[in-house]
Amino acid sequence: MTTRISESAGTAAVPGRRREVLTVAEAATLTPAAVLEALDSAATGLSPARARARLAALGPNAVAAHRVRAWRVLVRQFRSALLLLLVGTATTAFVLGDHTDAVVIALILTASVALGFVNEYRAERAALNLHAQIRHSVAVLRDGVLSDTDVFDLVPGDIVHLRLGAVVPADVRLLDATDLTCDEAVLTGESLPVDKAVAAVPAGTALAEAASCAFMGTVVHSGSGVGVVVSTAADTQVGRIAVGLGERPPETAFRVGLRRFSVLLLQVAVILTVAIFVTNVLLDRPMLDAALFALAIAVGITPQLLPAVVSTSLAAGSRQLARRKVLVKRLVCIEDLGDLDVLVTDKTGTLTDGSVSLRAAVGPDGRESSRVLRYGMLATEERTGGNALDTALWRAPRITVDDYRPLALVPFDHERRMTSVLVDAPDGTRLIVAKGAPESILARCVDVPEAARVVLEEQFAAGSRVVAVAGRPAPQAVALTAADERDLRLEGFLIFLDPPKAGAAGSLRRLAGLGVTVKIATGDNARVAEKVCAELGLASAGTLTGTDIDGLDDGRLTAAASAATIFARVSPEQKARVVRLLRRSHVVGFLGDGVNDALALHAADVGLSVDTAADVAKDAADVVLLEKDLGVLADGVAEGRRIFANTIKYVLMGTSSNFGNMFSAAAASGVLSFLPMLPGQILLNNLLYDSSQLAIPTDRVDVEQLAAPAHWDIAFIRRFMLFFGPLSSLFDLLTFWVMLAVFHAGPALFRTGWFVESLATQILVVFAIRTRRIPFLRSRPSLPLMVAAGGVVLTGAVLPFSPLAEPLGFAALPLSFFVTLVAMVVGYLALVEGAKKVFFAKLSGGRATPRLRDRSHHLRRRLSRFTYPVRAGRARRRRPPQDGPGDSFSPRTTPAPTASSTRGGESATIFPGPHSRNHGANS
């Protein structure tokens, strides 16, 4: 039984109970009138006041809330089990009377945690601010007035209009549908669109078969429709999945790499910590001191600030991209841009100026014809604001058509590729006039002269954009349909000029240098596209037309699309299909700005549009370019890769030097009669080192490091650590000898000397490790990095002479030590530089395998538009209702779940259909 919705019925559901509202499964079985009555709505929509009341009761139409909670960020700083163990051991030391060491350790740990917290919290706030700036709207009818409304403000009972390429904003019961199909791959994994209709379905029908409903997160593939909102937020089918996935975003491949890297470090730390601890105990040193020392060494190898470095890099990257006229909707989009290896783009405005101008109107014989111009102007849907060709046509009129009376029009579509109009001429005759792609017009014409085909080929060869015009008398016609577009007589051709864009050739070279393959998808003629590509130096490896694409199955089209450079005369559906198939072996970006590009934008791994694009295109995009320029896009790709490269610098430098320090400590523990460095000194060394590395996100990156997407390679990091770590230890051991044999150092002076030397070598080595080139001469670091590194090294040198020296256990160093230190640092950097050439010479220069995205990536991408930005307080988040009979969205073909994502103790089962992909580790 169905219960009418009321404004008081919308409070958050009690766990285990189902709210007494109309479900989408029930709505699918009812007539449109019955659904409107149950929802207490009408065909004219809700009143604004009633909509506001329901919104206040039900909360925003969001499946998740993007929050920044300071306490969660703080807790994440303590995720290291080693750090917590050290806190416990230091507390024990304090209780047992070792107050000085315990307090020093506590202060240093507090400073380290605070440093990580401040940087990570700032980065998360930057991500929140970015998310809060993004708004998605939907056409909603309220009190009979159609207007754009924020998707978060939708409530049950709202009447929404659905159009091509739009994302369905809630679970809706259709009230009207015109050739409406929806892509429901986000729910089912099936790539084939689903037909929609208004008729009610039988009771008990599975939601996957409920043609009378459209579901949140699915995409309008064709046609249009009107529906009434039945369920919003977590009550929707996709909302159930979102709740199961949890509030925290999933691990990207980038963060999976971070996690695996942390496991590697933990293994190394456990082995060396146990060895150091056992060695010190066997030497009869106090067990508590041995434990503190071993744990401090273990904490030292752990890059505590790595999450902060990554988050800060992404946040700084978004600001850098904004300055370069690239706006990202989510920080993860920067990682996606960096992984891009195939770009599919339209031609107009990207490779060409986009300033289309009418060059000539000619008859079949190639001579100027005012009749062709007049007929072309008549067969126009909009005089201004329509497509670029029609706008150019009306900007350069030399005649008037005001004395013609239009009677009917069949608008352009991508199947017919033409527009036709029925008009009354001034002389009283009634005409059908058609205008469109030459192939489509000529196929409907009779008696096409051979001279016309010659003219057409000449214009295509010259790179001109050509529109054919035809007509015929229709004295008895009172209406017009596509079936009337027959027996036409060719009048001639409209010839347009859209020259290649200045600078496009350079942008294409930049993208090629970044390892990005550019492919063109255009509605234009293949010959024209090939001509433009040739003029810009983009070598074509082949062309596929829309007809070719329709004639190939998925397997053959995947191979053909990977090889081809140009896709000509393609429809929106064909663009989207090509993009989906390319994604099987590439990370694909699609750049488009029209309504007909929306499907491909949704299908791509990275959707790119421009600020002047159609609303539906901008809404579908992940990245918005403030200029339609491939050079701007190249900036975005380079920035994504720069962030990864800088993160790897931190990792390689930290693991190699810290591993060397641990190895040195283990060796020193076995031969010295005292601890080589106090636990507090080790932690202070680590804190100073980490703080100097917060400037790494600002560093420059060599061109060769941007030439292809870079991925986490744990085996490479392990080899690097084992190769360069002992080099660091070599100079540590040299320092030990100098301190004991030359300076005859006691425990305090020995520890101070090693503290200063290890800090200087492990920080300054960044200038060698950050590049494969000769540092400073052929690769200059950023100024902030030089200042930070120099400042921290200077701080370490000054500390033994400061008032903090005594509580920290330092002793003043002789000036002669610093002369020795300079010599050792120079020698160490020279040795690393030589070893670097040997190490990298052994690496193969093969191209990295693309890090593919699977369907979970696209699910998260779709859900992001329904994630509510929370700045203060806590947004009430509704629990999904318990499933009732027939209320679960199940797949059409696969009855059992095949993939499960678990996060935070909750799991969401996703049902991929036969067309879905799974790339394993990239989930």
Side-chain angles (χ1 to χ4, degrees), residues 62 64-67 128-135 152 866-872 875:
H66 188 114
R67 298 183 180 89
L128 176 63
N129 292 336
L130 181 67
H131 190 87
Q133 294 171 14
I134 306 302
R135 284 289 182 266
F152 295 130
F866 303 110
T867 302
Y868 194 73
V870 179
R871 290 184 172 276

Side-chain angles (χ1 to χ4, degrees), residues 780-791:
R780 290 190 303 112
S782 69
L783 180 62
L785 180 60
M786 289 192 289
V787 171

Side-chain angles (χ1 to χ4, degrees), residues 675-923:
L675 290 177
M677 201 182 293
L678 296 176
Q681 293 170 342
I682 295 172
L683 295 175
L684 177 60
N685 186 294
N686 189 50
L687 174 64
L688 290 173
Y689 164 78
D690 275 344
S691 63
S692 73
Q693 304 316 300
L694 287 174
I696 280 184
T698 70
D699 193 26
R700 300 182 178 95
V701 173
D702 298 336
V703 174
E704 57 269 23
Q705 292 179 272
L706 307 177
H711 306 155
W712 281 97
D713 185 344
I714 301 302
F716 169 78
I717 295 173
R718 185 187 300 113
R719 288 198 304 272
F720 193 96
M721 179 177 71
L722 295 176
F723 186 86
F724 286 94
L727 296 183
S728 173
S729 293
L730 181 63
F731 279 82
D732 285 339
L733 296 176
L734 180 59
T735 302
F736 297 166
W737 180 83
V738 168
M739 297 306 298
L740 294 173
V742 177
F743 296 106
H744 308 289
L749 187 61
F750 180 94
R751 292 162 181 162
T752 306
W754 187 32
F755 176 92
V756 173
E757 180 270 339
S758 66
L759 186 65
T761 52
Q762 71 177 335
I763 289 178
L764 296 178
V765 77
V766 69
F767 298 115
I769 288 178
R770 60 172 292 278
T771 177
R772 297 188 185 186
R773 302 178 178 184
I774 300 174
F776 296 102
L777 296 179
R778 297 190 59 216
S779 178
R780 290 190 303 112
S782 69
L783 180 62
L785 180 60
M786 289 192 289
V787 171
V792 172
V793 170
L794 182 62
T795 300
V798 170
L799 268 176
F801 304 96
S802 72
L804 295 175
E806 185 176 349
L808 290 173
F810 290 137
L813 291 164
L815 294 180
S816 56
F817 168 83
F818 291 99
V819 176
T820 306
L821 175 65
V822 171
M824 285 194 295
V825 167
V826 171
Y828 174 54
L829 296 182
L831 181 61
V832 169
E833 193 62 29
K836 188 173 67 174
K837 296 184 183 300
V838 174
F839 180 82
F840 287 115
K842 297 179 180 179
L843 297 180
S844 63
R847 184 182 175 90
T849 303
R851 186 171 59 204
L852 303 179
R853 271 76 174 144
D854 72 349
R855 193 162 63 85
S856 67
H857 169 82
H858 285 259
L859 173 63
R860 285 287 183 175
R861 189 177 152 207
R862 195 68 52 78
L863 290 176
S864 68
R865 70 184 54 239
F866 303 110
T867 302
Y868 194 73
V870 179
R871 290 184 172 276
R874 304 180 70 175
R876 186 169 61 255
R877 191 168 170 215
R878 294 174 299 182
R879 190 180 177 89
Q882 302 299 305
D883 289 347
D887 197 31
S888 177
F889 200 109
S890 58
R892 294 176 177 76
T893 57
T894 310
T898 60
S900 178
S901 173
T902 304
R903 188 84 174 167
E906 299 176 286
S907 67
T909 302
I910 305 169
F911 300 92
H915 301 285
S916 65
R917 303 181 300 133
N918 191 337
H919 294 295
N922 299 312
S923 299

Side-chain angles (χ1 to χ4, degrees), residues 2 22 30-40:
T2 315
L22 182 68
L30 301 177
T31 65
V35 173
L36 289 173
E37 180 183 3
L39 293 170
D40 199 13

